[in-house]
Every structure is written in structure tokens, then in C-alpha cells.
Amino acid sequence: MRIGIFGGTFDPPHRGHVALARIARERLRLDRVLIAPVGSQPLKTGVSHSSFEDRVAMAQLAFAGESHTEISLIDAPRPDGHPNYTFDTIQRLQREGSAGDLFFCILGADSFLSVAKWHRAADLLVLCDFIVGARPGFDLGRLTAALPDSIALANESGSDGLMVVGLRRQDGCKSRLYLLPDLAEDISATEIRGAVGDGINKNGTTGAVLSPSVLNYIESHALYRQG
Ligand code: ATP
């Protein structure tokens, strides 16, 4: 099976997240997409977020109806309080999966730009293939410059809506980076939280970028209210 794993804070999950998961599934012909809200994002520790339970509940609402897409609890908060590392998550999926399963890590261009700072970046980058969606304001052309020094580009090819970049580590281990250039959802969870804090506007910005069920959840659970 071809399985995509899409981790994130999802605070809240919005139309940009849904669009990325869908285009990744379609272009890479994924059999399953796992949406994994993260208990503690290593590069965002100290940032206060809605509870894991609220973010899981909102992800269930936001991705309801997306075919072959399910919410995974694999990145639930760890009992030891440590951050959830993508390297550990992918390794566990590979260990617990079936022979022949192929895993793809799905993320946005802004996240990939920081990949060199991720836990065991040089190991992670050859552990599985990566699907990176364009995000307004982040240049896909800069992504390869964000790679750690030990990872070189092996080859590049492209077709409509999908660019493929080969990655090769010094010891010969290889993987692929699939770039999705035609995703253009100019939406940010940080901005949504700010807009909701200023007052829910169902017919305005927040109504356009969140599903009605997520908006209702935010309202009924009084999330992101200021003060
Ligand atoms: P913020 O906007 O506050 O930075 P975020 O939505 O980027 O929040 P996450 O919920 O952690 O934060 O994002 C999960 C993943 O989705 C990340 O890999 C991020 O790059 C990607 N992503 C988020 N929004 C978009 C978007 N509008 N277009 C493409 N990718 C996105």
C-alpha cells in the first residue's frame, strides 16, 4: 500500500490542510492518508495550543468525507512529555506496517524549509519519500537549498503538476521529494486564531477557510477567545 502521513498542529485544521492532503493523495495515487495531529511539535514547544483532544475532534470534522483519509493518533502526547519526532513516527509506521507498504511524509513548503533542524534530519530524509505542497509566500525553488549538507540532489524530473527531485545521502541511501507546485491556498492557522479571537464571522474570512462543522466546534467550545 502507498500510505501518506500528514502530521501537523491542526489548530485549527483548515481548507489549506484539506487541499494539500487531497492533492497529495490524487497525484501520488495514495491508498491511504493518515492525518496525525501532533501532541508536541518539537519546533513549536512553548507555544500554547488547543488541547490534543480538541484538535483531533476538529480534524475528524474537517476531513470527514475525504476518501481514503483517516485521523491517526500515532503522534498523541507522549507519556514522558517529550516532543513527537517525525523520524520516530515514520520508523514506527514502517515497523508496524505490512511488507511492501510505502510511506510518504506530507508537508507544506514552509515546514520543509526548516527540515535541516529536524531530529535526525539526514536519516529522516532517506527513511521515506516526501510530498511537499506549495504555499503562497514560500518559494519551492528554495527547498533543495534547505537540505542538510550530507544530502545531495540525485536527479530531477517533472510533469504536469508534479516535480520529482531525487535525494542521495553520502552513503548512497536514496529517497524522492515530490513537489506539488499548483497548490495556492493562502491560509494560515495563526491568522484564523486571531480572526476568531476578534469575533467569529461565519460569512467572512473564517467562514470561507474553515468547514462549518469546525467553525461550530470552535464556537461551542469557546476556542481562541481572547482574554
Ligand atoms: P500556521 O499558519 O500557524 O503556521 P500551520 O497551519 O502552518 O499553522 P500546522 O497545522 O502545523 O501549522 O500545519 C500542518 C502542515 O500543513 C505543515 O506542514 C504546513 O506546512 C502545512 N500547511 C499549513 N497551511 C498550509 C497551506 N495554506 N498551504 C499548504 N500547506 C499548508
Side-chain angles (χ1 to χ4, degrees):
M1 270 212 204
R2 295 164 66 83
I3 304 171
I5 168 94
F6 182 20
T9 314
F10 301 117
D11 192 21
H14 52 65
R15 207 183 60 205
H17 297 129
V18 175
L20 173 51
R22 189 184 301 159
I23 196 172
R25 180 176 58 74
E26 290 171 353
R27 297 271 159 86
L28 274 299
R29 301 179 323 280
L30 303 178
D31 301 298
R32 288 172 76 197
V33 176
L34 308 178
I35 308 295
V38 66
S40 169
Q41 219 269 38
L43 297 181
K44 289 189 186 169
T45 49
V47 180
S48 106
H49 287 296
S50 307
S51 71
F52 179 71
E53 290 71 21
D54 280 335
R55 291 182 287 114
V56 168
M58 289 191 285
Q60 267 153 352
L61 296 170
F63 288 91
E66 288 298 307
S67 65
H68 304 284
T69 302
E70 62 209 81
I71 308 305
S72 164
L73 301 183
I74 192 159
D75 274 341
R78 294 172 44 137
D80 59 10
H82 287 162
N84 304 79
Y85 294 116
T86 304
F87 179 83
D88 297 338
T89 306
I90 303 279
Q91 248 198 348
R92 183 172 152 202
L93 286 169
Q94 290 176 336
R95 206 172 43 236
E96 294 176 1
S98 309
D101 281 348
L102 267 184
F103 290 93
F104 298 78
C105 182
I106 303 172
L107 69 171
D110 58 307
S111 300
F112 194 82
L113 281 174
S114 68
V115 75
K117 291 190 210 143
W118 292 22
H119 178 63
R120 299 189 61 174
D123 294 324
L124 171 65
L125 282 162
V126 291
L127 191 62
C128 67
D129 291 339
F130 285 75
I131 305 172
V132 183
R135 188 169 182 180
F138 299 92
D139 182 2
L140 278 187
R142 281 175 41 219
L143 293 190
T144 48
L147 296 169
D149 292 342
S150 55
I151 304 279
L153 302 186
N155 48 51
E156 289 188 41
S157 61
S159 60
D160 268 358
L162 189 66
M163 289 148 65
V164 189
V165 178
L167 302 182
R168 187 191 178 91
R169 202 169 58 179
Q170 281 155 348
D171 60 3
C173 291
K174 290 182 196 165
S175 64
R176 285 201 182 109
L177 194 56
Y178 295 96
L179 307 180
L180 304 170
D182 49 4
L183 190 72
E185 299 284 349
D186 195 4
I187 306 171
S188 135
T190 305
E191 283 174 23
I192 294 172
R193 291 195 297 275
V196 172
D198 292 339
I200 289 266
N201 59 346
K202 286 192 176 169
N203 299 316
T205 328
T206 41
V209 297
L210 295 174
S211 79
S213 54
V214 171
L215 203 48
N216 284 340
Y217 187 97
I218 290 172
E219 204 169 18
S220 60
H221 290 74
L223 301 183
Y224 317 130
R225 299 249 172 104
Q226 285 171 343

